[in-house]
Amino acid sequence: MSADSEQKAAPAEQAPGTAIITALKQQLLRSEAAERRRLLRVLITGSAIRLIILVMFPDLVAHYLSGRVELSTPVTSHKRLIEGVHLSRHNTSPYDGGLFHQSPLLLILFRALHLLPDLFTNIVYVAVDAAIALTLARLAAVKAEKSKPNSGGRVPGEIRFVCTPSAIATMYLFNPLTVATTLAKSTIVFSHLAIVSALYSGIVGLTNQAIIFTAVAAHLSLYPAVLIAPIALMAAVSQSKAQHHWLVGDIGLTLAKFALVAGALHYVFAAMFGTQYFMATVDFTLRAADLQPNVGLFWYFFIEIFDEFRPFFFVVFQLTALAFAVPVSWRFRDDPLFAGTMLVGIISALKSYPSWGDLSLFLGLLPLFEELAKYLQYSFLSANLLMYGVGLAP
């Protein structure tokens, strides 16, 4: 009798613990559902604001924002893209002259969109921006999930500001620099979508998909090619191999796949548009052939020096922008996503034709690392300097 009574009492003792676990699971599911609803509201609101402005105030976009050098450059201008589409439709290579300098990928896309009303072009730009925000939100969710096992190092009493996926999407979509870039129809947004898709694919272990997105981003804007370094580290980490020679082998395989995909894209584009496209896109970007003012350093420096010194300084400036890939990635090899974020920031400052759109992507990635906020010094001063610089730029 005593044994039977003990067996009957055991479930009764376990019942409170089971009930607590069930309640916690239900609360977690409710919080996740609420977070998804908040994210959906953010995406809908941000997209609606952009679309309403594009439809209701087309003159603002066509005559003011599209011509601002802070938002549009020779390699991201929507006006130049449309002119290239017109030349292509009339059986004239847009790369023969000195006007069009954008990727054939954009030419193919907008040649199809040109057959539809302008509303569809506006929808494409808005949808791309929403897709970037959604991918950033997914990045935040994956990073939070991966950092849970390492959350034991918190200081007692420490106050942490946790950026939820909806908060990450909000800070990106409602950033004035992001809104202005989309309203100006800068084609840099397509490169940004490829960049964040590559980072997300790499962090979740989809290495081949990340390589393809990185190659596409490199063809759209050249400089994102440096992101293959952190992508290669992500691929090596996803294999869970601790041996040094296996790590080197995984990185080498990733680099070889990237070279293969980028070479295949180049072969296809060269067959469609001739080798002129390479000179009008990659070579044009590397030489900074158009020295019209922008928010970067190249134009101001090269209009001040003599022509015979330009080749040397072109090499120095471009190597400065590209040489950070390996040391930054290796320094932060334990966190390749942070290395990729730092490279995005370096690119936004040192590329040939930067714009506010490049800065907006970097500012959208930074909140993913909210745990570093406690180490910031003079953050108020830095934020004010950034706002003053942006405000005085026009």
Side-chain angles (χ1 to χ4, degrees):
M1 291 295 294
S2 61
D4 294 339
S5 61
E6 290 178 357
Q7 291 179 357
K8 291 180 181 179
E13 294 176 355
Q14 296 176 359
T18 305
I20 293 175
I21 294 175
T22 303
L24 290 175
K25 288 182 178 179
Q26 292 177 352
Q27 183 179 1
L28 179 62
L29 291 175
R30 286 195 297 268
S31 63
E32 290 178 352
E35 176 61 25
R36 285 194 294 268
R37 289 194 295 270
R38 285 194 296 269
L39 177 60
L40 182 60
R41 286 196 295 267
V42 168
L43 295 176
I44 293 175
T45 304
S47 301
I49 291 174
R50 286 162 167 77
L51 192 58
I52 289 173
I53 296 176
L54 287 170
V55 174
M56 299 297 293
F57 305 99
D59 293 337
L60 172 67
V61 175
H63 298 107
Y64 182 72
L65 291 179
S66 296
R68 299 298 306 180
V69 296
E70 303 92 344
L71 301 172
S72 180
T73 68
V75 295
T76 62
S77 172
H78 181 74
K79 290 182 179 179
R80 294 198 182 200
L81 175 59
I82 296 304
E83 291 176 359
V85 170
H86 279 290
L87 291 174
S88 178
R89 289 180 57 83
H90 288 83
N91 298 321
T92 302
S93 176
Y95 298 106
D96 285 341
L99 178 67
F100 185 68
H101 306 287
Q102 301 187 43
S103 171
L105 283 170
L106 296 175
L107 191 64
I108 296 171
L109 172 62
F110 279 86
R111 187 169 180 175
L113 286 175
H114 186 71
L115 302 175
L116 302 174
D118 292 339
L119 177 62
F120 288 89
T121 301
N122 297 335
I123 292 175
V124 166
Y125 275 99
V126 172
V128 168
D129 231 11
I132 295 172
L134 179 60
T135 308
L136 288 174
R138 290 178 174 177
L139 265 175
V142 172
K143 183 179 178 299
E145 188 66 27
K146 288 180 176 294
S147 61
K148 281 182 180 179
N150 301 324
S151 60
R154 293 183 57 182
V155 178
E158 175 188 1
I159 298 176
R160 287 189 59 181
F161 300 94
V162 179
C163 288
T164 60
S166 60
I168 296 291
T170 301
M171 284 185 279
Y172 175 80
L173 280 179
F174 294 95
N175 184 343
L177 302 182
T178 307
V179 176
T181 300
T182 307
L183 295 181
K185 296 183 180 179
S186 172
T187 57
I188 194 66
V189 297
F190 296 95
S191 177
H192 290 171
L193 178 59
I195 289 172
V196 295
S197 299
L199 293 176
Y200 175 75
S201 301
I203 203 68
V204 298
L206 302 176
T207 305
N208 293 332
Q209 187 173 319
I211 292 171
I212 293 174
F213 280 124
T214 307
V216 170
H219 271 274
L220 289 173
S221 187
L222 182 61
Y223 292 93
V226 301
L227 294 176
I228 193 58
I231 294 297
L233 288 176
M234 292 177 187
V237 171
S238 66
Q239 298 297 327
S240 300
K241 297 174 180 177
Q243 292 87 355
H244 181 68
H245 64 280
W246 282 113
L247 178 65
V248 174
D250 291 334
I251 293 176
L253 180 61
T254 302
L255 295 177
K257 289 180 179 179
F258 172 75
L260 180 63
V261 175
L265 287 175
H266 170 69
Y267 178 80
V268 171
F269 295 151
M272 295 175 61
F273 300 99
T275 56
Q276 295 92 342
Y277 102 88
F278 184 82
M279 302 300 296
T281 55
V282 177
D283 183 71
F284 176 84
T285 302
L286 290 176
R287 291 188 298 107
D290 191 336
L291 296 179
Q292 75 174 33
N294 54 59
V295 296
L297 303 174
F298 276 70
W299 72 274
Y300 186 77
F301 182 83
F302 285 105
I303 62 174
E304 298 289 341
I305 66 174
F306 295 107
D307 291 342
E308 56 265 26
F309 298 112
R310 284 190 177 186
F312 171 76
F313 284 103
F314 278 133
V315 174
V316 171
F317 270 59
Q318 297 295 358
L319 286 180
T320 302
L322 301 175
F324 283 95
V326 174
V328 170
S329 299
W330 186 251
R331 175 62 182 84
F332 300 108
R333 57 188 178 275
D334 294 331
D335 191 354
L337 180 60
F338 184 73
T341 301
M342 291 298 101
L343 289 176
V344 169
I346 293 170
I347 291 171
S348 68
L350 299 179
K351 65 189 297 188
S352 302
Y353 300 103
S355 65
W356 281 348
D358 298 286
L359 178 60
S360 69
L361 178 63
F362 179 57
L363 294 178
L365 286 167
L366 276 183
L368 294 174
F369 308 95
E370 81 282 349
E371 68 274 8
L372 302 179
K374 61 184 178 182
Y375 300 110
L376 295 178
Q377 294 183 354
Y378 313 112
S379 56
F380 179 76
L381 177 61
S382 301
N384 276 275
L385 288 175
L386 176 62
M387 289 188 290
Y388 288 150
V390 171
L392 295 176

Coordinates of all heavy atoms in Angstrom, one line a residue, residues 241-282:
K241 N 34.0 22.5 -37.9 CA 35.3 21.8 -38.0 C 36.3 22.6 -37.3 O 36.6 23.8 -37.6 CB 35.7 21.6 -39.5 CG 34.7 20.7 -40.3 CD 35.1 20.7 -41.7 CE 34.2 19.8 -42.5 NZ 34.5 19.8 -44.0
A242 N 37.0 22.0 -36.3 CA 37.9 22.7 -35.5 C 39.4 22.6 -36.0 O 40.2 23.4 -35.7 CB 37.9 22.2 -34.1
Q243 N 39.6 21.7 -36.9 CA 41.0 21.5 -37.4 C 41.3 22.7 -38.3 O 40.6 23.1 -39.1 CB 41.1 20.2 -38.2 CG 41.0 18.9 -37.4 CD 39.6 18.5 -37.2 OE1 38.7 19.2 -37.7 NE2 39.3 17.4 -36.5
H244 N 42.6 23.1 -38.2 CA 43.0 24.3 -38.9 C 43.0 24.1 -40.4 O 42.6 25.0 -41.2 CB 44.4 24.7 -38.5 CG 45.0 25.9 -39.1 ND1 44.4 27.2 -38.9 CD2 46.0 26.1 -40.0 CE1 45.1 28.1 -39.6 NE2 46.0 27.4 -40.3
H245 N 43.5 22.9 -40.9 CA 43.6 22.7 -42.3 C 42.2 22.6 -42.9 O 42.0 22.9 -44.1 CB 44.4 21.4 -42.6 CG 43.8 20.2 -42.1 ND1 44.0 19.8 -40.8 CD2 43.1 19.2 -42.7 CE1 43.4 18.6 -40.6 NE2 42.8 18.2 -41.7
W246 N 41.2 22.0 -42.2 CA 39.9 22.0 -42.7 C 39.3 23.4 -42.8 O 38.6 23.7 -43.7 CB 39.0 21.2 -41.8 CG 39.2 19.7 -41.9 CD1 39.7 18.8 -41.0 CD2 38.9 18.9 -43.1 NE1 39.7 17.5 -41.5 CE2 39.2 17.5 -42.8 CE3 38.3 19.2 -44.3 CZ2 39.0 16.5 -43.6 CZ3 38.1 18.1 -45.2 CH2 38.5 16.8 -44.9
L247 N 39.6 24.3 -41.9 CA 39.1 25.6 -41.9 C 39.6 26.3 -43.2 O 38.9 27.0 -43.9 CB 39.6 26.4 -40.7 CG 39.2 27.9 -40.6 CD1 37.7 28.0 -40.5 CD2 39.8 28.5 -39.3
V248 N 40.9 26.2 -43.4 CA 41.5 26.8 -44.6 C 40.9 26.2 -45.9 O 40.6 26.9 -46.9 CB 43.0 26.6 -44.6 CG1 43.6 27.1 -45.9 CG2 43.7 27.3 -43.5
G249 N 40.6 24.9 -45.9 CA 40.0 24.3 -47.0 C 38.6 24.8 -47.3 O 38.2 25.0 -48.5
D250 N 37.8 25.0 -46.2 CA 36.4 25.5 -46.4 C 36.5 27.0 -47.0 O 35.7 27.3 -47.8 CB 35.7 25.5 -45.1 CG 35.4 24.1 -44.6 OD1 35.3 23.2 -45.5 OD2 35.3 23.9 -43.4
I251 N 37.4 27.8 -46.5 CA 37.5 29.1 -47.0 C 37.9 29.2 -48.4 O 37.4 29.9 -49.2 CB 38.5 29.9 -46.1 CG1 37.9 30.1 -44.7 CG2 38.8 31.3 -46.7 CD1 38.9 30.8 -43.7
G252 N 38.9 28.3 -48.8 CA 39.3 28.2 -50.2 C 38.2 27.8 -51.1 O 38.1 28.3 -52.2
L253 N 37.4 26.8 -50.6 CA 36.3 26.3 -51.5 C 35.3 27.4 -51.7 O 34.8 27.6 -52.8 CB 35.7 25.1 -50.8 CG 34.5 24.5 -51.5 CD1 34.9 24.0 -52.9 CD2 33.9 23.3 -50.7
T254 N 35.0 28.2 -50.6 CA 34.0 29.3 -50.8 C 34.5 30.3 -51.7 O 33.8 30.9 -52.6 CB 33.8 29.9 -49.4 OG1 33.3 28.9 -48.5 CG2 32.7 31.0 -49.5
L255 N 35.8 30.7 -51.6 CA 36.4 31.7 -52.6 C 36.3 31.2 -54.0 O 36.1 32.0 -54.9 CB 37.8 32.0 -52.1 CG 38.0 32.7 -50.8 CD1 39.5 32.9 -50.5 CD2 37.2 34.0 -50.8
A256 N 36.6 29.9 -54.2 CA 36.6 29.3 -55.5 C 35.2 29.4 -56.1 O 35.0 29.7 -57.3 CB 37.1 27.9 -55.5
K257 N 34.2 29.0 -55.3 CA 32.8 29.1 -55.8 C 32.4 30.5 -56.1 O 31.7 30.8 -57.1 CB 31.8 28.6 -54.7 CG 31.9 27.1 -54.5 CD 31.0 26.6 -53.4 CE 31.0 25.1 -53.2 NZ 30.1 24.7 -52.1
F258 N 32.8 31.5 -55.3 CA 32.5 32.9 -55.6 C 33.1 33.3 -56.9 O 32.5 34.0 -57.7 CB 33.0 33.8 -54.5 CG 32.9 35.2 -54.8 CD1 31.7 35.9 -54.7 CD2 34.0 36.0 -55.1 CE1 31.6 37.2 -55.0 CE2 34.0 37.3 -55.4 CZ 32.7 38.0 -55.3
A259 N 34.4 33.0 -57.2 CA 35.0 33.3 -58.4 C 34.3 32.7 -59.6 O 34.2 33.3 -60.7 CB 36.5 32.9 -58.4
L260 N 33.8 31.4 -59.4 CA 33.1 30.7 -60.5 C 31.8 31.4 -60.8 O 31.5 31.7 -62.0 CB 32.9 29.3 -60.1 CG 32.1 28.4 -61.1 CD1 33.0 28.3 -62.4 CD2 31.8 27.0 -60.5
V261 N 31.0 31.8 -59.8 CA 29.7 32.4 -60.0 C 29.9 33.8 -60.6 O 29.2 34.2 -61.6 CB 28.9 32.5 -58.7 CG1 27.7 33.3 -58.9 CG2 28.6 31.1 -58.2
A262 N 30.9 34.6 -60.1 CA 31.1 35.9 -60.6 C 31.6 35.9 -62.1 O 31.2 36.7 -62.9 CB 32.2 36.7 -59.8
G263 N 32.5 34.9 -62.3 CA 33.0 34.7 -63.7 C 31.8 34.3 -64.7 O 31.8 34.7 -65.8
A264 N 30.9 33.4 -64.2 CA 29.8 33.0 -65.0 C 28.9 34.2 -65.4 O 28.4 34.4 -66.5 CB 29.0 31.9 -64.3
L265 N 28.6 35.1 -64.4 CA 27.8 36.3 -64.6 C 28.5 37.2 -65.6 O 27.9 37.7 -66.5 CB 27.6 37.0 -63.3 CG 26.6 36.4 -62.3 CD1 26.6 37.2 -61.0 CD2 25.2 36.3 -62.9
H266 N 29.8 37.3 -65.5 CA 30.6 38.2 -66.4 C 30.5 37.6 -67.8 O 30.3 38.3 -68.8 CB 32.0 38.3 -66.0 CG 32.9 38.9 -67.0 ND1 32.9 40.3 -67.3 CD2 33.9 38.4 -67.8 CE1 33.8 40.5 -68.2 NE2 34.4 39.4 -68.5
Y267 N 30.6 36.3 -68.0 CA 30.6 35.7 -69.3 C 29.2 35.9 -69.9 O 29.1 36.2 -71.1 CB 30.9 34.2 -69.1 CG 30.8 33.4 -70.4 CD1 31.8 33.4 -71.3 CD2 29.6 32.7 -70.8 CE1 31.8 32.8 -72.6 CE2 29.6 32.0 -72.0 CZ 30.6 32.0 -72.9 OH 30.5 31.4 -74.0
V268 N 28.1 35.7 -69.1 CA 26.8 35.9 -69.7 C 26.6 37.4 -70.1 O 26.1 37.7 -71.2 CB 25.7 35.5 -68.6 CG1 24.3 35.9 -69.1 CG2 25.8 34.0 -68.4
F269 N 27.0 38.3 -69.3 CA 26.8 39.7 -69.6 C 27.7 40.2 -70.8 O 27.3 41.0 -71.6 CB 27.1 40.6 -68.4 CG 26.2 40.4 -67.3 CD1 26.6 40.6 -65.9 CD2 24.9 40.0 -67.5 CE1 25.7 40.4 -64.9 CE2 24.0 39.8 -66.4 CZ 24.4 40.0 -65.1
A270 N 28.9 39.6 -70.9 CA 29.8 39.9 -72.0 C 29.2 39.4 -73.3 O 29.3 40.0 -74.4 CB 31.2 39.4 -71.8
A271 N 28.5 38.2 -73.2 CA 27.9 37.7 -74.4 C 26.7 38.5 -74.9 O 26.4 38.6 -76.1 CB 27.5 36.2 -74.2
M272 N 26.0 39.1 -73.9 CA 24.8 39.9 -74.2 C 25.1 41.3 -74.6 O 24.5 41.9 -75.6 CB 23.9 39.9 -73.0 CG 23.3 38.6 -72.6 SD 22.3 38.6 -71.1 CE 21.0 39.8 -71.6
F273 N 26.1 42.0 -74.0 CA 26.3 43.4 -74.2 C 27.7 43.7 -74.7 O 28.1 44.9 -74.8 CB 26.1 44.2 -72.9 CG 24.7 44.0 -72.4 CD1 24.4 43.1 -71.4 CD2 23.6 44.8 -72.9 CE1 23.1 43.0 -70.9 CE2 22.3 44.7 -72.4 CZ 22.1 43.8 -71.4
G274 N 28.6 42.7 -74.8 CA 29.9 42.9 -75.2 C 30.8 43.3 -74.0 O 30.3 43.6 -72.9
T275 N 32.1 43.4 -74.3 CA 33.0 43.7 -73.2 C 33.0 45.2 -72.8 O 33.6 45.6 -71.8 CB 34.5 43.4 -73.6 OG1 34.8 44.0 -74.9 CG2 34.6 41.9 -73.8
Q276 N 32.2 46.0 -73.6 CA 32.1 47.4 -73.2 C 31.4 47.6 -71.9 O 31.7 48.6 -71.2 CB 31.2 48.2 -74.3 CG 31.9 48.2 -75.7 CD 31.4 47.1 -76.5 OE1 30.9 46.1 -76.0 NE2 31.6 47.2 -77.8
Y277 N 30.6 46.6 -71.5 CA 29.9 46.8 -70.2 C 30.9 46.8 -69.1 O 30.7 47.5 -68.1 CB 28.8 45.7 -70.0 CG 29.3 44.5 -69.1 CD1 29.1 44.6 -67.8 CD2 30.0 43.4 -69.6 CE1 29.5 43.6 -66.9 CE2 30.4 42.4 -68.8 CZ 30.1 42.5 -67.4 OH 30.6 41.5 -66.6
F278 N 32.0 46.0 -69.2 CA 33.0 45.9 -68.1 C 33.7 47.2 -68.0 O 33.9 47.7 -66.9 CB 33.9 44.8 -68.5 CG 35.0 44.5 -67.4 CD1 34.7 43.8 -66.3 CD2 36.2 45.1 -67.5 CE1 35.6 43.6 -65.3 CE2 37.2 44.9 -66.5 CZ 36.9 44.1 -65.4
M279 N 34.0 47.8 -69.1 CA 34.7 49.1 -69.1 C 33.8 50.2 -68.6 O 34.3 51.1 -67.9 CB 35.3 49.5 -70.5 CG 36.2 48.4 -71.1 SD 37.7 48.2 -70.1 CE 38.4 49.8 -70.2
A280 N 32.6 50.1 -68.8 CA 31.6 51.2 -68.4 C 31.1 51.0 -67.0 O 30.5 51.9 -66.4 CB 30.4 51.2 -69.4
T281 N 31.4 49.9 -66.4 CA 30.9 49.6 -65.0 C 32.1 49.5 -64.1 O 32.4 50.3 -63.2 CB 30.0 48.4 -65.0 OG1 30.7 47.2 -65.5 CG2 28.7 48.6 -65.7
V282 N 32.8 48.3 -64.2 CA 33.9 48.1 -63.2 C 35.0 49.0 -63.4 O 35.5 49.7 -62.4 CB 34.4 46.6 -63.4 CG1 35.6 46.4 -62.4 CG2 33.2 45.6 -63.1

